[in-house]
Amino acid sequence: MAEADRVKKAGPRSTGRPTIRDVSQLAGVSRMTVSRAISDPELVLPATREKVAKAIAALGYVPDRTAGSLSSRKTGFIALMLPTLTNANFAAVAHGLTEALRDANFHLLIAYTEYDMVEEERQLRNLLARRPEAIVMTGATHSPAASKLLLAADVPIIEIADLPSRPIGHVIGFSNHEVGRTAARYLIDKGHTRIGAIGGTVEGEVRDHRGEERMRGFEDELRLAGLSADAVLRYGEAPLSYDHGAAAIARLLKKSPDCQAVFAVSDLSAVGAMMQCQRMGVSIPDQLSLIGFGDFEIGRIVDPPLTTIHVDFNELGRRTGATLLALLGEDGDARPGRVDVGLSVVERESVSKA
Amino acid sequence: MAEADRVKKAGPRSTGRPTIRDVSQLAGVSRMTVSRAISDPELVLPATREKVAKAIAALGYVPDRTAGSLSSRKTGFIALMLPTLTNANFAAVAHGLTEALRDANFHLLIAYTEYDMVEEERQLRNLLARRPEAIVMTGATHSPAASKLLLAADVPIIEIADLPSRPIGHVIGFSNHEVGRTAARYLIDKGHTRIGAIGGTVEGEVRDHRGEERMRGFEDELRLAGLSADAVLRYGEAPLSYDHGAAAIARLLKKSPDCQAVFAVSDLSAVGAMMQCQRMGVSIPDQLSLIGFGDFEIGRIVDPPLTTIHVDFNELGRRTGATLLALLGEDGDARPGRVDVGLSVVERESVSKA
DNA sequence: AACAATTATGGGACCGATATCATCGAAAAG
DNA sequence: CTTTTCGATGATATCGGTCCCATAATTGTT
């Protein structure tokens, strides 16, 4: 019988909370049996399992995963790096991921970069100290040091919401460049020729790389169509919101009063711009067409409803979760995958008909 | 000199990543010195510190907090239980908290109940296994088992966004009952007598206890004023959003066509209701006054701007963070505190003037 | 100068689980 | 009836840090 376990008392550094040893002593079995009864019940006789369950309930025992993690070298953590949580789409990703990982008993460790690469690196280091079993990064632009840390981490890495040409690991995303191009094409197809855009990357310092990518795609498509990109305005800093859009559109229209159509890199800016137009007596879509990005709920609510480019962030979160589960499950398919969840134009009424 | 540390090789169960032992051997000091150089540099001579720093950089060493947590019995985790992340106010709380805890090197462990008490209990158990140093619960209505778990956890507990009469630990919140009463009083003051409300708790099964509390406060105030609470409609289930408000207001106006003013337990429902009224040709505020709760950004955007009840969730998150830091810092003031962050009416234009 | 106090560092046990291998009894195979 | 196989359980080392106490070196005290 488990003699060694029966006599051992809690050491001086113990927390006082019941441990697996207390359970084993009360149940009259070894610690290993308790461990198995919890994490792999089929290996234990039903009668034994019952005894253990009783002891657990009697003591109010809650296993310590910190200890378990150290021993098994599996922490059950997934690191998720987001620009911010106060953005419905990123929140949706986090939500979808949590959902997908819930039953596998993984926990998400979320960190926010606030669109700052230095902060990203700092946060990454903190995250790494928790020994996550996989890392999910939003975007694909990292500092050299951060890239090095990621490579050295030796765990699956998934870059999401982007489609980098030189990815570090797996990719589940969409092309932000294509978003911009699609927006431009859409406005061009509607017959506009004086076309502008508002986004948040001030000259010289890029914070929101994905937003900047959308701006570039937009510009590229304009040029391809032989149109001027003069009315593409970069103003303010991420995170972009209503106020940004309002200020940006005011500037833009002052600079380029003949502008017929505008792409906003975020629906939030787009809506802010819309409000500002109302205040300035600029009618949408009659005097100015507006297309956004992100398909935020608010775009359905405003009047006129906002035409926008939709990406299924929920799907993105779910796909990421499923990939993670596959990666961390059985064998761990090592081949880095690349998934493009695509995008689509949601036609509503903020763009004038061709 | 550290002879024992110099010879020891990595064991068979090692991950292969550099450990503190590798650093100590390369730097020619003991493990403890490395540990101190990292977490308490003042205890180590600058020259030694330098040697350690070099070794750390050379190896790309990242400390393992799992091991550190086990040993020090300080995990650096704060558990945060939220109904959902896809709600700007809760996201703001999470954001504010993260912000406040960032420099103290704490990590937030977030779990979502989806407004389900059974799920809350399950999530709580999972959270507890991570040995958080404090637990932040949204709301104050828990299952008996959950309450027992919380009590037994033996760590500071903060209940937020509510003002329970029999709290488990610290409280930082506001009275949801008072929110309802304030809304009712406001509408009454504006001269309305046929007053209704829409909220999401179906008869018999309460999911959103805080929302239900707001409904009750609303009803209580109506009764106090000698008004009928017949037009208080419970419909649908949390989480409440636009569609809920739209459906609910349609029902309500069908049932009580003479209703003059309506309180929605959430701005999201209120905005949905507003849209539905537009579709039905009911003019706001001329034919129907509308007041919401939560002061979501969208309320500023819609037309007419939504009158609502504001609670500073940001402040709530910050206060919670500060309290946590104090609690986990020096001495750990044991007296459970109680903070009411209050509430205020944001007068906009969705309520007709008296 | 002798002794106490302080500072810098090291040695070893320990935190609470699980990996791994050993053991033991019962059932299956020969 | 022995030998092999298998299923259930146990003993022990180990994961990678930090706590606690010991020790050596330095500084301060009278």
Side-chain angles (χ1 to χ4, degrees), chain A residues 4-47:
Chain A
D5 285 339
R6 306 197 75 124
V7 291
K8 199 70 166 277
K9 288 276 188 302
R13 279 164 68 182
S14 171
T15 56
R17 299 185 56 119
T19 73
I20 203 170
R21 170 167 278 133
D22 299 315
V23 176
S24 75
Q25 291 177 9
L26 184 59
V29 299
S30 73
R31 284 177 295 156
M32 260 328 288
T33 299
V34 176
S35 174
R36 279 191 275 254
I38 293 170
S39 53
D40 219 342
E42 299 89 49
L43 294 180
V44 174
L45 241 38

Side-chain angles (χ1 to χ4, degrees), chain B residues 7-18:
Chain B
V7 291
K8 198 71 166 275
K9 288 275 187 302
R13 280 165 68 182
S14 170
T15 56
R17 299 184 57 118

Side-chain angles (χ1 to χ4, degrees), chain A residues 141-205:
Chain A
T141 313
H142 322 293
S143 74
S147 297
K148 205 175 144 197
L149 282 172
L150 284 172
L151 258 358
D154 193 32
V155 295
I157 292 165
I158 305 185
E159 291 171 291
I160 63 171
D162 211 336
L163 227 48
S165 50
R166 215 193 48 66
I168 292 186
H170 300 257
V171 173
I172 302 177
F174 57 93
S175 163
N176 284 283
H177 192 267
E178 188 58 31
V179 167
R181 296 192 55 185
T182 302
R185 223 154 35 225
Y186 183 81
L187 294 179
I188 293 168
D189 285 352
K190 294 295 172 188
H192 298 294
T193 52
R194 291 290 297 155
I195 303 179
I198 52 177
T201 299
V202 187
E203 180 121 0
E205 186 206 358

Side-chain angles (χ1 to χ4, degrees), chain A residues 125 131, chain B residues 18-20 23 34 38 55-64:
Chain A
R125 212 174 288 273
R131 297 292 187 265
Chain B
T19 73
I20 202 170
V23 176
V34 176
I38 293 170
I56 287 177
L59 293 170
Y61 170 70
V62 178
D64 185 337

Side-chain angles (χ1 to χ4, degrees), chain A residues 174-237:
Chain A
F174 57 93
S175 163
N176 284 283
H177 192 267
E178 188 58 31
V179 167
R181 296 192 55 185
T182 302
R185 223 154 35 225
Y186 183 81
L187 294 179
I188 293 168
D189 285 352
K190 294 295 172 188
H192 298 294
T193 52
R194 291 290 297 155
I195 303 179
I198 52 177
T201 299
V202 187
E203 180 121 0
E205 186 206 358
V206 179
R207 284 167 61 91
D208 179 6
H209 288 85
R210 302 186 324 105
E212 174 60 16
E213 228 0 68
R214 299 196 281 276
M215 294 287 271
R216 293 238 181 82
F218 189 81
E219 290 173 321
D220 287 350
E221 190 68 20
L222 286 191
R223 291 206 194 87
L224 226 63
L227 299 178
S228 155
D230 289 352
V232 171
L233 179 75
R234 287 172 172 81
Y235 167 77
E237 288 192 343

Side-chain angles (χ1 to χ4, degrees), chain B residues 143-224:
Chain B
S143 74
S147 297
K148 205 174 142 196
L149 282 172
L150 285 171
L151 257 358
D154 195 33
V155 295
I157 292 165
I158 306 186
E159 292 170 294
I160 63 170
D162 210 338
L163 229 46
S165 49
R166 214 191 49 64
I168 292 185
H170 300 257
V171 173
I172 301 176
F174 58 93
S175 164
N176 284 283
H177 192 268
E178 188 57 30
V179 167
R181 295 191 57 187
T182 302
R185 222 153 38 224
Y186 182 80
L187 295 178
I188 293 168
D189 286 351
K190 294 295 172 187
H192 297 294
T193 53
R194 291 288 298 154
I195 302 179
I198 52 177
T201 300
V202 187
E203 181 122 359
E205 186 207 357
V206 178
R207 284 166 61 91
D208 179 8
H209 288 87
R210 303 184 323 105
E212 173 61 17
E213 224 7 64
R214 299 196 281 275
M215 293 288 269
R216 293 236 181 84
F218 190 80
E219 291 173 320
D220 287 350
E221 190 68 19
L222 286 190
R223 290 206 195 86
L224 225 65

Side-chain angles (χ1 to χ4, degrees), chain B residues 305-345:
Chain B
L306 181 69
T307 292
T308 188
I309 293 182
H310 170 91
V311 168
D312 195 337
F313 280 90
N314 227 44
E315 168 73 3
L316 211 157
R318 264 180 286 127
R319 284 287 265 274
T320 304
T323 303
L324 243 21
L325 254 24
L327 246 28
L328 301 175
E330 311 307 88
D331 41 342
D333 183 338
R335 263 172 313 135
R338 183 188 191 83
V339 176
D340 185 347
V341 297
L343 49 93
S344 58
V345 175

